[in-house]
Amino acid sequence: NVKEVTVSYDGTNWSPWENANIVTLPGGGNALKKRLNFQGVEGWNEIYVKLKSTTGVESKIINQRLLIDTKPPIVSLRTRSNSQGTSTYLIDLIVDVEDNVPDSFNYSYSVNNSAFTTTAALPATKVITINGIVERRLNLVQVRIYDLAGNSTLRTINIWGL
């Protein structure tokens, strides 16, 4: 049984041991409930925890990566050929994206204010195919890019349907 807990934000300097607050989870099982005074920085951070049993036995160090990301990605859109028109109902867009945590991104899009598509993973090539371009008109294409933390940026590009 867990009696006490200590926390470190660098793996070296530890907080004083304090009583552990063990709670029962709705589906069964137990979890440690602990309020942290975490002073992390943007990006990936580590937190380290040690537990002590009622008999005084200490656990191995448990570490967990935490993501702090409050900034949306920086996004720009362009076509492959830098043209602003297509003679088909499809067009490929290149998504230039930068983020403080550049691990992975998701996207969805809308053409002419239709409902946004289901969110999908942005390919490694950063090229997405937009479906639904209407011929003989200016089409409003909106692309929303989501970073790993869920921050999003919306960008718009006008495409002529020829």
Side-chain angles (χ1 to χ4, degrees), residues 49-63:
V49 176
K50 286 195 293 187
L51 307 172
K52 189 185 289 184
S53 72
T54 53
T55 60
V57 176
E58 290 184 22
S59 72
K60 293 180 181 179
I61 295 173
I62 303 164
N63 67 308

Side-chain angles (χ1 to χ4, degrees), residues 118-129:
T118 302
T119 303
L122 184 65
T125 60
K126 305 288 194 278
V127 176
I128 59 174
T129 300

Side-chain angles (χ1 to χ4, degrees), residues 90-110:
L90 301 171
I91 192 160
D92 286 341
L93 294 181
I94 299 170
V95 180
D96 294 312
V97 59
E98 294 178 30
D99 194 49
N100 57 333
V101 183
D103 285 352
S104 63
F105 301 96
N106 291 325
Y107 76 98
S108 61
Y109 70 88
S110 166

Side-chain angles (χ1 to χ4, degrees), residues 71 78-79 102 124 127 136:
K71 299 174 182 170
R78 58 189 166 91
T79 62
V127 176
R136 290 195 275 287

Side-chain angles (χ1 to χ4, degrees), residues 77-85 91-94 157 159:
L77 302 173
R78 58 189 166 91
T79 62
R80 279 187 190 264
S81 62
N82 288 320
S83 70
Q84 297 303 112
I91 192 160
D92 286 341
L93 294 181
I94 299 170
I157 188 169
I159 302 294

